[in-house]
Amino acid sequence: MDLDSITKHSALHAKPSGLILQYGTAGFRMKAEHLDHVMFRMGLLAVLRSKQTKSTIGVMVTASHNPEEDNGVKLVDPLGEMLAPSWEEHATCLANAEEQNMQKVLMNICEKAAVDLQQAAFIVIGRDTRSSSEKLAQSVIDGITVLGGQFHDYGLLTTPQLHYMVYCRNTNGQYGKATVEGYYQKLSQAFVELTKQAFCSGDESQSLKVDCANGIGALQLREMRGYFSQGLSVQLFNVGTEGKLNHLCGADFVKSHQKPPQGMEMKSNERCCSFDGDADRIVYYYRDADGHFHLIDGDKIATLISSFLKELLLEIGENLNLGVVQTAYANGSSTRYLEEVMKVPVYCTKTGVKHLHHKAQEFDIGVYFEANGHGTVLFSKAAEMKIKQLAKELEDKKRKAAKMLANIIDLFNQVADRQVICTTDAERQAVTPPGLQEAINDLVKKYKLSRAFVRPSGTEDVVRVYAEADSQESADSLAHEVSCAVYQLAGGVGEKPQPVSEDI
């Protein structure tokens, strides 16, 4: 490792004095103009991680659902999963190191992680459509090349596509072809086959309106829809030609405001959905005959999927272990329905995709979706092999059910200072600041069928406030009062928290 060369190149990507960052659930995120040094250093870190794992590592340049002026970066581990926790710490240390300490920090990482510097390294890179992303991706490349790493720049990709590319490259193509066309082919073929098996009389014409959040999803879905043109008619809205990224549109807007995105007209019972800026979140919605808006968020998506999976498992007669993983912020009604009506076990973890994903891996089939629409279904290797074997051996209705399960496996891409508030009990109880939990308890008592939680965001420098009550009006009122308590007891630093409220 040529430390002098690294120091020389690092000076071209100088760190702003005093800037402190934390690698969180979604990597680093902040205003784009402050990220150049972070991108260069994450290029360095990706090479070290690749050398240590002897695998391809991914680097995604995006700030997902954040405003267009923001940007961010996250690393993708060998099997398409999120970066290992110990390397999150390395990322934070490296990003915050002052220029004069860069060499020391890099050597410490190599020593702690037992990095073989003679090992070859290969990195794949993707980016979203933000105006800052191309330049920041080049800073990543500068970091990769100064350490002698090899790379492939895929250019514009959704975040799920980059996860797919990493997984494909590290499984020697067994999961799929590590190309955009390979991604389209794998998912569309599974979708078409699944819809053929699940075809219902009267559903001959399937159509879907898609809000693309003026982001990368518009470019990729425009190309991909031709692959399943026979099974689904897709209309695209907010495709980036006029509107601003994530502004008055996208999954986060629809979820938070409980209304359709700007730029999309909805008729009664039309199927509609919204991506976020990097297309790794999705929520569905529709208007009923009376014009009322209905949101199918992550909680409902998980409920629908797990119900469907259980029906198929009962049909084939296999006792595979199905579990749903939620956080304390999941709607209570969805939890009760799954446990009491569908008899599907539900488990609670701390908020954050990495916690949900880890728990879901304990089951034959693990389902998790955050309310914001971020999630997936995981199948263990044993369950996957069993299902695909049954799809060949069983007969009649059982074989059809097994084939549907096999297509579902291929359809899911199985690869997701606020710190003043600390929580415990799966983030349902606030430990600090003192007095906050007591204040929340007192406010909850004022409303029927209510509960409320607060937590530091894993993706933004804000505090999330969640409230649930017997009516939307009560939930909104409770959320507002809790957010005010957070603002007062957390020291009144920064903007007031933006509450998320739901009725039950």
Side-chain angles (χ1 to χ4, degrees), residues 131-143:
S131 58
S132 61
S133 290
E134 185 172 6
K135 182 179 179 181
L136 292 176
Q138 184 58 52
S139 297
V140 173
I141 293 172
D142 289 348

Side-chain angles (χ1 to χ4, degrees), residues 290-448:
D290 296 324
H292 296 134
F293 179 82
H294 294 269
L295 176 69
I296 304 175
D297 62 6
D299 293 333
K300 294 184 176 69
I301 292 172
T303 302
L304 288 169
I305 289 174
S306 56
S307 299
F308 182 49
L309 290 172
K310 182 169 183 180
E311 290 177 3
L312 294 176
L313 290 173
L314 289 173
E315 185 68 40
I316 64 175
E318 281 297 316
N319 189 27
L320 293 176
N321 185 16
L322 169 66
V324 177
V325 186
Q326 296 182 331
T327 71
Y329 298 86
N331 187 283
S333 294
S334 69
T335 307
R336 288 191 293 273
Y337 179 82
L338 285 166
E339 291 182 330
E340 298 173 10
V341 179
M342 294 306 302
K343 306 300 181 183
V344 173
V346 179
Y347 299 84
C348 189
T349 70
K350 291 175 63 177
T351 304
V353 174
K354 60 185 176 184
H355 302 297
L356 292 159
H357 191 93
H358 180 73
K359 185 65 178 179
Q361 289 176 318
E362 296 179 10
F363 307 97
D364 292 324
I365 305 175
V367 181
Y368 72 85
F369 276 85
E370 294 180 297
N372 60 31
H374 196 173
T376 190
V377 179
L378 301 180
F379 292 81
S380 70
K381 283 299 179 185
E384 180 178 343
M385 292 175 62
K386 183 67 174 178
I387 288 168
K388 292 186 175 181
Q389 179 183 357
L390 292 172
K392 298 177 181 178
E393 296 178 352
L394 294 177
E395 298 180 357
D396 303 328
K397 291 180 65 176
K398 288 187 176 183
R399 184 178 185 183
K400 177 181 177 181
K403 282 186 174 181
M404 291 175 72
L405 282 168
N407 286 320
I408 291 172
I409 292 172
D410 287 336
L411 184 59
F412 275 98
N413 197 2
Q414 300 188 62
V415 288
D417 181 329
R418 59 191 184 270
Q419 303 304 331
V420 70
I421 293 180
C422 296
T423 61
T424 187
D425 189 21
E427 298 187 317
R428 288 176 285 194
Q429 296 286 316
V431 178
T432 61
L436 177 57
Q437 188 58 52
E438 289 78 4
I440 293 173
N441 293 342
D442 289 338
L443 292 170
V444 167
K445 292 176 183 177
K446 296 167 57 178
Y447 300 88
K448 295 180 179 178

Side-chain angles (χ1 to χ4, degrees), residues 56-302:
T56 296
I57 296 296
V59 179
M60 184 68 196
V61 179
T62 183
S64 189
H65 62 281
N66 284 36
E68 187 170 2
E69 58 268 22
D70 291 352
N71 218 317
V73 59
K74 70 174 184 176
L75 273 61
V76 179
D77 257 0
L79 295 182
E81 72 272 46
M82 299 177 71
L83 187 63
S86 62
W87 280 78
E88 290 185 6
E89 296 179 13
H90 296 326
T92 299
C93 290
L94 188 57
N96 293 328
E98 299 301 332
E99 291 296 329
Q100 65 271 21
N101 296 325
M102 276 281 290
Q103 292 187 10
K104 180 180 179 181
V105 171
L106 284 169
M107 293 307 297
N108 284 341
I109 293 172
C110 292
E111 183 178 347
K112 290 180 179 179
V115 177
D116 178 4
L117 294 175
Q118 302 305 312
Q119 174 66 38
F122 194 87
I123 315 298
V124 293
I125 307 162
R127 57 182 166 86
D128 68 13
T129 55
R130 296 166 199 270
S131 58
S132 61
S133 290
E134 185 172 6
K135 182 179 179 181
L136 292 176
Q138 184 58 52
S139 297
V140 173
I141 293 172
D142 289 348
I144 294 170
T145 55
V146 76
L147 267 183
Q150 301 296 309
F151 68 92
H152 179 82
D153 183 5
Y154 280 97
L156 295 170
L157 285 183
T158 68
T159 293
Q161 284 178 320
L162 183 71
H163 284 258
Y164 167 88
M165 301 305 174
V166 174
Y167 194 18
C168 288
R169 285 179 176 269
N170 287 317
T171 53
N172 297 318
Q174 293 181 12
Y175 185 71
K177 296 179 181 178
T179 63
V180 173
E181 292 75 18
Y183 179 88
Y184 294 157
Q185 291 168 356
K186 180 180 174 67
L187 270 68
S188 62
Q189 182 177 351
F191 173 79
V192 171
E193 290 300 317
L194 180 60
T195 52
K196 285 180 180 178
Q197 296 291 335
F199 186 84
C200 297
S201 178
D203 276 352
E204 290 84 355
S205 179
Q206 301 285 350
S207 63
L208 179 68
K209 288 185 172 181
V210 182
D211 160 31
C212 298
N214 293 313
I216 182 63
L219 300 179
Q220 303 295 14
L221 189 55
R222 184 181 287 119
E223 294 184 12
M224 187 176 184
R225 62 181 174 180
Y227 286 78
F228 47 66
S229 57
Q230 296 181 347
L232 181 67
S233 173
V234 177
Q235 292 179 269
L236 305 184
F237 298 84
N238 297 318
V239 296
T241 55
E242 297 180 0
K244 192 175 180 181
L245 180 70
N246 294 322
H247 181 61
L248 302 179
C249 60
D252 196 56
F253 173 83
V254 173
K255 171 69 174 65
S256 299
H257 293 81
Q258 301 280 309
K259 65 179 183 181
Q262 180 175 283
M264 178 190 287
E265 292 186 7
M266 293 175 58
K267 298 178 181 178
S268 296
N269 296 318
E270 283 187 324
R271 298 170 179 173
C272 306
C273 68
S274 289
F275 288 125
D276 65 342
D278 64 337
D280 70 346
R281 294 184 180 185
I282 190 169
V283 294
Y284 295 85
Y285 43 93
Y286 65 96
R287 289 193 188 279
D288 61 23
D290 296 324
H292 296 134
F293 179 82
H294 294 269
L295 176 69
I296 304 175
D297 62 6
D299 293 333
K300 294 184 176 69
I301 292 172

